[in-house]
Amino acid sequence: WVLQSNTSHLSTFVYMDQHSFEESCARAAIAIRKADIFLLCTGAGFSADSGLSVFKDIANIEAYHKRNITYPELCCPIWLDKDPELFYGFFGKCFNDYRETKPHRGYQIIQEWRQSILDKQYETEDTFSTEFNNKFTEAWNEFIRSKELDDESFYNPKTGPFFIFTSNVDGHAVASGFLEDEVYEIHGCSNIWQCKDDYFCVKADDCFNALNKGLLWRAPKDFRFDVDTETMLVHDSEEEKEGWRQHPRCPHCGGLSRPSTYMFGDMWWADHKPPRERYLAWEKVVLDYVQSGNKKLVILEVGCGTNIETVRSHTETLAEGNGDITLIRVNPDEAQFQDTSKFSNQPISISSTGLATIMEIDKNIKAQSKTTPE
């Protein structure tokens, strides 16, 4: 425990795991090997290991310094009206970076952990995964009935005891091979687009399944923005690439379009709703299992800072539940917990980057598997 002074001039105790990096990773490996259910929660720090920028670096570019514009000011839909060239320059650079950057090896390692949880149940003739999916399907269908949704495009997602909850909009979880059914991008995804004036156009935000109905749409696979790297602007032209102009248009009204991602001060985001409801149905099933004392849940939170605390708050709220829940927090600068007494299990904090930690945990999992079979 360490004593930390806060802005109110009072002192608060902040929990920091005093184990070494190696010891903490070994403890995390034990928890993951014992897990029946695994939730991966990621923020910008997880994508940073692929080479993408984190909050403080996104707008750290000379062209923005000259205009005295900060990241929160740039990441705002108002620029579509005030200065479309600036808007598409900023979001176009992000869009291009997301598509041209290869997801790091940590995604592959976690896919192996995910598979090992399923394999463990198969090898012991445990029917938990099948039972879990059946219960999830029941919860999903109950939601569909409660909303009186009769859209023929609905289907029963195949979701097992694994999920990804991420604030990243880069689409790397799905690009690295995880199923869309098991990924919830809470701020949307840069690959999905909407009309700038959705409320006055097709009202995609009022439709539950807007993507399947074409009210939201996916960006062409090979499209890139032509960003002027000196000015960080994108100039429009009538020439199309992959069917898109450099200032992409709404296919319904012909007005400007934008990524369907949540921005600062954003009242016009048309959220793609099925992933959120899939996750909530999944979480309901998980908590039923864990709170009944039957199963172990491990939450691995990686790269989630305090600038935007949505993910950190969510993992802590989940870990407060009754039952066998272990929260592992990985962050090079902010791995601390304000209060651990509220958790059912002692959390594990690891002050390091995501990829280095995942690789060290994986090394421990492999070593432990040789000496201590599950």
Side-chain angles (χ1 to χ4, degrees), residues 47-113:
S47 291
D49 283 314
S50 298
L52 295 173
S53 298
V54 295
F55 189 99
K56 64 184 179 64
D57 297 323
I58 295 176
N60 189 17
I61 295 173
E62 183 62 25
Y64 298 139
H65 295 327
K66 288 179 178 178
R67 299 181 66 153
N68 197 28
I69 304 177
T70 64
Y71 169 56
E73 293 169 331
L74 276 168
C75 186
C76 181
I78 196 171
W79 293 110
L80 272 169
D81 292 315
K82 292 178 63 177
D83 191 340
E85 292 187 342
L86 179 67
F87 178 89
Y88 290 114
F90 174 71
F91 281 98
K93 173 67 162 58
C94 294
F95 179 92
N96 292 351
D97 287 347
Y98 298 156
R99 291 196 159 193
E100 292 169 3
T101 301
K102 181 180 178 181
H104 60 73
R105 175 163 157 65
Y107 289 95
Q108 180 185 340
I109 292 172
I110 291 172
Q111 282 195 46
E112 293 169 2
W113 297 351

Side-chain angles (χ1 to χ4, degrees), residues 264-326:
F264 290 101
D266 198 346
M267 297 186 296
W268 301 276
W269 179 34
D271 184 16
H272 179 41
K273 297 175 178 59
R276 179 188 66 203
E277 298 303 333
R278 279 200 296 267
Y279 173 75
L280 291 175
W282 183 88
E283 184 183 279
K284 178 179 183 297
V285 174
V286 168
L287 293 179
D288 285 347
Y289 272 113
V290 173
Q291 291 173 357
S292 67
N294 292 330
K295 299 297 177 183
K296 298 178 176 65
L297 167 64
V298 166
I299 305 169
L300 176 61
E301 177 203 297
V302 187
C304 304
T306 56
N307 284 307
I308 302 173
E309 297 195 63
T310 311
V311 180
R312 288 172 73 102
S313 298
H314 183 69
T315 60
E316 291 194 15
T317 300
L318 272 182
E320 290 175 22
N322 296 323
D324 198 337
I325 306 172
T326 301

Side-chain angles (χ1 to χ4, degrees), residues 32-39 109-134 158-163 177-179 182 282 286 289 295-296 365 374:
I32 291 170
R33 290 185 67 226
K34 291 180 177 180
D36 301 296
I37 306 167
F38 188 92
L39 174 61
I109 292 172
I110 291 172
Q111 282 195 46
E112 293 169 2
W113 297 351
R114 169 190 177 279
Q115 190 59 45
S116 70
I117 291 174
L118 302 177
D119 290 345
K120 176 177 64 176
Q121 292 156 10
Y122 176 77
E123 290 166 3
T124 58
E125 298 183 355
D126 188 343
T127 60
F128 172 59
S129 290
T130 301
E131 179 185 295
F132 184 99
N133 183 251
N134 290 339
K158 299 299 180 185
T159 304
F162 173 88
F163 222 101
F178 289 101
L179 303 175
E182 58 190 13
W282 183 88
V286 168
Y289 272 113
K295 299 297 177 183
K296 298 178 176 65
I365 287 175
E374 294 173 0

Side-chain angles (χ1 to χ4, degrees), residues 8-242:
S8 64
H9 305 291
L10 298 175
S11 294
T12 58
F13 282 100
V14 177
Y15 175 78
M16 287 291 293
D17 196 327
Q18 297 304 303
H19 294 85
S20 69
F21 172 72
E22 291 77 13
E23 290 170 334
S24 295
C25 288
R27 292 173 60 218
I30 291 170
I32 291 170
R33 290 185 67 226
K34 291 180 177 180
D36 301 296
I37 306 167
F38 188 92
L39 174 61
L40 173 65
C41 298
T42 65
F46 192 60
S47 291
D49 283 314
S50 298
L52 295 173
S53 298
V54 295
F55 189 99
K56 64 184 179 64
D57 297 323
I58 295 176
N60 189 17
I61 295 173
E62 183 62 25
Y64 298 139
H65 295 327
K66 288 179 178 178
R67 299 181 66 153
N68 197 28
I69 304 177
T70 64
Y71 169 56
E73 293 169 331
L74 276 168
C75 186
C76 181
I78 196 171
W79 293 110
L80 272 169
D81 292 315
K82 292 178 63 177
D83 191 340
E85 292 187 342
L86 179 67
F87 178 89
Y88 290 114
F90 174 71
F91 281 98
K93 173 67 162 58
C94 294
F95 179 92
N96 292 351
D97 287 347
Y98 298 156
R99 291 196 159 193
E100 292 169 3
T101 301
K102 181 180 178 181
H104 60 73
R105 175 163 157 65
Y107 289 95
Q108 180 185 340
I109 292 172
I110 291 172
Q111 282 195 46
E112 293 169 2
W113 297 351
R114 169 190 177 279
Q115 190 59 45
S116 70
I117 291 174
L118 302 177
D119 290 345
K120 176 177 64 176
Q121 292 156 10
Y122 176 77
E123 290 166 3
T124 58
E125 298 183 355
D126 188 343
T127 60
F128 172 59
S129 290
T130 301
E131 179 185 295
F132 184 99
N133 183 251
N134 290 339
K135 286 185 177 293
F136 169 80
T137 300
E138 290 175 13
W140 176 252
N141 288 336
E142 180 182 335
F143 165 76
I144 298 298
R145 288 192 297 271
S146 71
K147 298 295 183 181
E148 298 182 348
L149 299 170
D150 56 2
D151 191 332
E152 292 181 0
S153 63
F154 282 123
Y155 65 99
N156 289 326
K158 299 299 180 185
T159 304
F162 173 88
F163 222 101
I164 296 176
F165 181 100
T166 180
S167 60
N168 296 330
V169 300
D170 50 38
H172 278 197
V174 173
S176 64
F178 289 101
L179 303 175
E180 286 193 356
D181 286 354
E182 58 190 13
V183 177
Y184 174 28
E185 297 158 310
I186 65 172
H187 295 152
C189 178
S190 62
N191 292 322
I192 297 175
W193 283 60
Q194 65 170 85
C195 181
K196 174 181 81 74
D197 298 312
D198 176 67
Y199 182 79
F200 301 102
C201 184
V202 291
K203 290 184 168 35
D205 196 46
D206 292 341
C207 176
F208 179 75
N209 211 14
L211 184 62
N212 282 7
K213 287 181 174 292
L215 308 183
L216 301 175
W217 54 94
R218 296 187 188 275
K221 182 180 178 181
D222 296 321
F223 179 79
R224 299 292 187 275
F225 286 92
D226 294 331
V227 182
D228 183 325
T229 55
E230 277 196 29
T231 63
M232 295 305 298
L233 301 177
V234 168
H235 306 293
D236 195 21
S237 73
E238 295 186 4
E239 180 183 354
E240 294 187 351
K241 294 182 178 180
E242 300 294 318

